[in-house]
Amino acid sequence: MKEESLSVKMEDHALEPVPDKDRQGWLALTWSTSGIVVSLVQLFFGALVTFVAGIKIGLIAGVLVTVVGALLGWACGHVAYRSGLSSTVMSRYFGFGRRGSIVSSLIFAFMIIGFLALENALLYKGFIFFFGIGDTITARIVIYGLMTLVWILLTAYGFKLVARVSSIALILSLVVLAYIMEVVVSSGPHSVADLLSFGSQFPADTLKAMGAESDMQKFIFAVNVLLGSAGALALFDADLGRYARRSRDIGIAALLGNLSMDVLMLVIGGAIMYAGIPALVDFYMQTAGMTREAAMHASLQSPDSITAAFLVFGGAMGALLMVLAQGKTQVLNNYSASLSLYN
């Protein structure tokens, strides 16, 4: 009897249409579409785009990608709503057939598991940084092992638990994120107007090497960086669209997810790094003995910098944000990856 009860709880209709009784409204879906993009990686993308293109051009690119991503997500989600199937299973029945869908499943699984690995690496770097732990084989086995176990357990009971975890963690993440923003802005010399109007921050030779010298080139660079995540989110919208009660439910969820990713995360990521870059450069110079130029380069060379920024500026609250933001993102990534592999 217990085994049957557990089986019922874990049933997620991975290879069959979701029944009407299990369908959800736009709010339940939005917790997940927005929750998966409120992450350190997307904050880093926001900082990168705005430091190359400037925040105004970056925002224009973000709005364009929001529109394109929302329409694409709604289109994919609508098919999922009508069929009740996830993105990779849809490709089996309506596209590539049983064998051909293996290809799309492997591509999506490779991408989403890659995100899982990257987010895990950021969390690991944050843990050893915050607790002062040495980067040893033992530390890697213990920390990565515990994270893997937690993600599996939190994902094991299907959409309802995933949505519940995501909703609570997203609310707490936004609260802590607002606190970090207040600390960074209040402790720096920049006004809110400055944070919403700064231009390119990289030297001219760096922009030339990136092919982003003119305003149009900067715009194209920004769109290219943001568009990949929008495409991935559209596939995730399809995985959630199978749970929608109406087509417009997944349409609203897709729009709010893209707004969170390409506007909110872009502005916050850019503003935090712009306001906090002097403190982060000083931190690298003091702790790693870097020159100012090397410290400036290190501050935006990888997503690790956004992790360092939150821990340097936020202390314990920054560590809390790191765990909340990445935890819910990992559960959602794990959920979507498991669907693709199940096909």
Side-chain angles (χ1 to χ4, degrees), residues 38 43 173-181 265 268 272 310 321:
V38 178
L43 287 170
S173 295
L174 292 175
V175 170
V176 179
L177 193 57
Y179 167 79
I180 300 292
M181 276 288 291
M265 291 294 97
I268 293 178
I272 286 178
F310 278 106
L321 172 65

Side-chain angles (χ1 to χ4, degrees), residues 126-200:
F127 283 135
I128 64 174
F129 181 87
F130 185 74
F131 293 107
I133 301 171
D135 183 13
T136 63
I137 295 296
T138 301
R140 293 180 184 183
I141 292 173
V142 171
I143 295 175
Y144 281 121
L146 287 175
M147 285 193 293
T148 300
L149 182 62
V150 171
W151 308 151
I152 291 173
L153 290 176
L154 287 175
T155 314
Y157 294 93
F159 177 80
K160 290 182 180 179
L161 180 59
V162 170
R164 191 178 302 121
V165 170
S166 182
S167 62
I168 296 171
L170 178 59
I171 292 172
L172 293 176
S173 295
L174 292 175
V175 170
V176 179
L177 193 57
Y179 167 79
I180 300 292
M181 276 288 291
E182 194 278 331
V183 170
V184 172
V185 173
S186 63
S187 62
H190 304 290
S191 65
V192 175
D194 292 335
L195 297 177
L196 296 178
S197 61
F198 66 85
S200 300

Side-chain angles (χ1 to χ4, degrees), residues 85-314:
L85 302 172
S86 61
S87 60
T88 48
V89 179
M90 283 194 303
S91 72
R92 178 197 296 194
Y93 290 104
F94 306 115
F96 305 121
R98 187 180 184 90
R99 293 183 179 178
S101 68
I102 294 174
V103 177
S104 62
S105 293
L106 288 176
I107 291 172
F108 187 49
F110 178 81
M111 178 190 67
I112 208 74
I113 292 172
F115 273 110
L116 267 167
L118 176 58
E119 308 277 7
N120 266 357
L122 289 177
L123 269 175
Y124 172 77
K125 290 289 184 69
F127 283 135
I128 64 174
F129 181 87
F130 185 74
F131 293 107
I133 301 171
D135 183 13
T136 63
I137 295 296
T138 301
R140 293 180 184 183
I141 292 173
V142 171
I143 295 175
Y144 281 121
L146 287 175
M147 285 193 293
T148 300
L149 182 62
V150 171
W151 308 151
I152 291 173
L153 290 176
L154 287 175
T155 314
Y157 294 93
F159 177 80
K160 290 182 180 179
L161 180 59
V162 170
R164 191 178 302 121
V165 170
S166 182
S167 62
I168 296 171
L170 178 59
I171 292 172
L172 293 176
S173 295
L174 292 175
V175 170
V176 179
L177 193 57
Y179 167 79
I180 300 292
M181 276 288 291
E182 194 278 331
V183 170
V184 172
V185 173
S186 63
S187 62
H190 304 290
S191 65
V192 175
D194 292 335
L195 297 177
L196 296 178
S197 61
F198 66 85
S200 300
Q201 297 298 299
F202 286 118
D205 57 341
T206 302
L207 293 174
K208 182 178 180 179
M210 300 174 76
E213 292 182 275
S214 67
D215 286 348
M216 180 54 68
Q217 288 175 325
K218 293 174 183 176
F219 175 76
I220 292 172
F221 175 89
V223 170
N224 285 338
V225 171
L226 298 173
L227 203 55
S229 296
L233 182 59
L235 293 175
F236 183 70
D237 291 336
D239 287 340
L240 295 181
R242 66 200 183 105
Y243 274 97
R245 289 198 185 106
R246 298 158 299 183
S247 178
R248 67 171 177 267
D249 287 329
I250 189 58
I252 294 171
L255 174 60
L256 293 177
N258 277 275
L259 277 172
S260 298
M261 179 172 65
D262 297 317
V263 176
L264 181 65
M265 291 294 97
L266 184 142
V267 171
I268 293 178
I272 286 178
M273 290 304 292
Y274 179 68
I277 203 78
L280 193 58
V281 168
D282 289 342
F283 173 80
Y284 280 131
M285 291 172 64
Q286 293 172 9
T287 59
M290 295 182 179
T291 63
R292 181 165 293 277
E293 183 178 352
M296 183 69 179
H297 178 71
S299 297
L300 271 175
Q301 70 176 351
S302 75
D304 290 356
S305 59
I306 215 76
T307 305
F310 278 106
L311 295 177
V312 170
F313 305 137

